[in-house]
């Protein structure tokens, strides 16, 4: 069966969940192709896997040679961008015609495919996976109903958490066509290792892009108020807030204990996770409406045996049960976050039990081997239904 994934950039280091899902389809014998806006082969060794260049269904740019001009056209066309881009999409939609099932990652790509289906250029069943910003920003702007055409022309919506499912149904998606499908990690590839901090310097770590929704500012402010003074904090990842966060650490008087390491190779990230004790990700809703889905970084940390601390934000409570598989605080509540960190600092033994429960939850509910198997079964069913029609 031929399955075509529609994404923005391929392959993308920030979208490893897409790569894992594609790998899951390949492992189960599906003929996978990708239609994207741009390719990034040779630009990042962390994701330069030969599998992505040798997909049986090929990797092609939706707009072909015009793809390189997409950013300029978007800038120049202004308010006419939607009509212009739709016209070009439809003119090149033949690249999706050979698929038995089309999977669009993010709502914007679902809209593009749905419009081509409406024009009769594509007939394959469309599955749209909603991840975060594609729901959060239109929720913030009260424009989530823009996906009406996706609901009408697509056969299935797969939001990554229940919060998004409720939001899509609220604006008109049929409840029978909206099913939560979590992203996951491969626990068999992540060694579980508990490390106590009872006789050691307490090591905190965050791995994320330094954007507003990751809440790293609140991690810094909470750590500055921590009664225990023998701690260090490593922040891995780059982003537009890097210099601002460095300045905050300096102003709080904790710059000597905070290391901003920038983007690091995956092998180094894995080692630093093994050396750390507590994974911090106090996510918040950004001012532009951007939201988390359920961060894969939290899943990886839980699988590896770290104690995880996050917030009651979007779908994160579906992953973390407070004081059972990790710790949660309200968004932007520095005092509550400091309190949780202080409790963790003084209670390594109970945290060991919590970390083990977290690992078990990942194995049972956020195991991408199981999730990919379920996803392939869904796709196969849709493809078979189409062939019988």
């Amino acid at each position: 069966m031929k399955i075509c994934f529609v994404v923005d950039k391929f392959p993308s280091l920030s979208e490893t969940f897409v790569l894992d899902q594609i790998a899951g389809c390949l492992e189960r014998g599906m003929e996978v192709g990708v239609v994207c806006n741009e390719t990034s082969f040779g630009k990042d060794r962390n994701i330069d896997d030969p599998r992505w260049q040798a997909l049986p269904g090929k990797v092609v740019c939706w707009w072909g040679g015009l793809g390189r001009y997409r950013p300029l056209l978007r800038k120049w066309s202004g308010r006419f961008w939607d009509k212009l881009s739709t016209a070009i999409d439809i003119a090149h939609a033949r690249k999706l015609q050979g698929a038995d099932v089309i999977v669009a990652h993010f709502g914007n790509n679902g809209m593009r495919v749905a419009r081509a289906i409406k024009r009769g250029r594509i007939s394959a069943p469309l599955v749209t996976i909603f991840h975060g910003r594609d729901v959060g920003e239109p929720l913030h702007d009260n424009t989530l109903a823009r996906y009406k055409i996706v609901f009408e022309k697509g056969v299935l919506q797969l939001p990554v958490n229940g919060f998004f499912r409720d939001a899509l149904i609220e604006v008109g998606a049929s409840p029978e066509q909206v099913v939560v499908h979590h992203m996951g990690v491969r626990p068999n590839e992540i060694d579980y290792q508990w490390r106590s901090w009872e006789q050691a310097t307490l090591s905190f770590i965050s791995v994320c892009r330094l954007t507003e929704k990751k809440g790293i500012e609140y991690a810094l402010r909470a750590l500055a108020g921590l009664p225990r003074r023998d701690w260090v904090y490593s922040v891995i990842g780059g982003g537009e807030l890097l210099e601002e966060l460095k300045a905050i650490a300096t102003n709080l008087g904790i710059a000597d204990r905070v290391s901003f390491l920038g983007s690091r190779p995956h092998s180094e990230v894995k080692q630093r996770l093994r050396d750390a004790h507590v994974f911090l990700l106090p996510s918040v809703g950004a001012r532009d409406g951007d939201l988390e889905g359920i961060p894969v970084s939290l899943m990886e940390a839980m699988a590896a045996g770290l104690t995880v601390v996050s917030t009651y934000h979007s779908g994160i409570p579906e992953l973390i049960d407070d004081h059972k598989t990790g710790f949660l605080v309200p968004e932007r509540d520095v005092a509550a976050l400091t309190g949780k960190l202080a409790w963790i600092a003084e209670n390594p033994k109970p945290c060991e039990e919590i970390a083990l429960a977290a690992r078990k939850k990942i194995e049972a509910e956020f195991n991408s081997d199981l999730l990919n198997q379920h996803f392939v079964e869904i796709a196969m069913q849709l493809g078979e239904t189409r062939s019988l029609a």
Side-chain angles (χ1 to χ4, degrees), residues 10-52:
F10 185 83
S12 174
L13 183 60
S14 64
E15 296 175 4
T16 53
F17 45 85
V18 175
L19 302 180
D20 183 75
Q21 195 171 76
I22 289 175
C25 290
L26 291 172
E27 290 161 4
R28 290 160 179 83
M30 303 187 83
E31 184 177 332
V32 180
V34 171
V35 172
C36 59
N37 291 332
E38 61 174 306
T39 61
S40 57
F41 294 118
K43 297 178 182 178
D44 194 328
R45 63 183 181 181
N46 289 319
I47 50 173
D48 269 349
D49 190 311
R51 289 177 297 174
W52 314 141

Side-chain angles (χ1 to χ4, degrees), residues 191-375:
D191 293 331
Y192 176 86
Q193 180 181 329
W194 164 259
R195 296 176 63 250
S196 177
W197 51 89
E198 192 167 3
Q199 303 294 328
T201 298
L202 180 53
S203 175
F204 297 94
I205 191 170
S206 296
V207 182
C208 61
R209 275 200 56 78
L210 301 182
T211 60
E212 183 184 1
K213 74 176 178 181
K214 298 301 180 180
I216 300 303
E217 171 186 347
Y218 304 99
L220 294 170
R221 297 190 184 282
L223 286 168
L226 193 63
R228 177 168 170 163
R229 309 311 294 174
D230 57 331
W231 59 264
V232 293
Y233 180 34
S234 300
V235 182
I236 297 177
E240 61 265 28
L241 296 183
L242 176 58
E243 295 306 318
E244 179 180 330
L245 292 170
K246 286 182 177 179
I248 290 173
T250 299
N251 292 337
L252 292 170
I254 58 173
D256 59 329
R257 283 178 284 171
V258 179
S259 299
F260 291 94
L261 301 172
S263 298
R264 311 304 298 170
H266 189 58
S267 58
E268 182 179 338
V269 173
K270 289 172 66 175
Q271 184 58 55
R272 289 186 179 275
L273 285 171
R274 284 192 290 266
D275 293 340
H277 301 114
V278 179
F279 190 92
L280 265 174
L281 195 71
S283 301
V284 301
R287 283 166 291 186
D288 63 0
D290 192 11
L291 300 175
E292 303 275 20
I294 303 178
V296 171
S297 61
L298 284 171
M299 303 175 199
E300 291 174 336
M302 291 168 70
L306 281 79
T307 299
V308 296
V309 184
S310 192
T311 52
Y312 291 101
H313 168 85
S314 189
I316 291 174
E318 296 172 36
L319 173 68
I320 300 173
D321 297 321
D322 188 40
H323 271 273
K324 295 180 180 178
T325 57
F327 298 87
L328 296 174
V329 300
E331 293 183 34
R332 295 183 169 88
D333 192 333
V334 173
L337 183 54
T338 299
K340 283 288 172 75
L341 299 182
W343 189 92
I344 290 167
E346 299 304 318
N347 292 276
K349 190 60 180 176
C351 287
E352 182 177 5
E353 298 174 8
I354 290 169
L356 182 58
R359 169 73 184 203
K360 291 179 178 178
K361 180 157 188 174
I362 296 300
E363 292 175 342
E365 299 179 34
F366 293 87
N367 183 329
S368 66
D369 287 323
L370 302 178
L371 292 166
N372 286 338
Q373 178 62 37
H374 181 56
F375 177 78

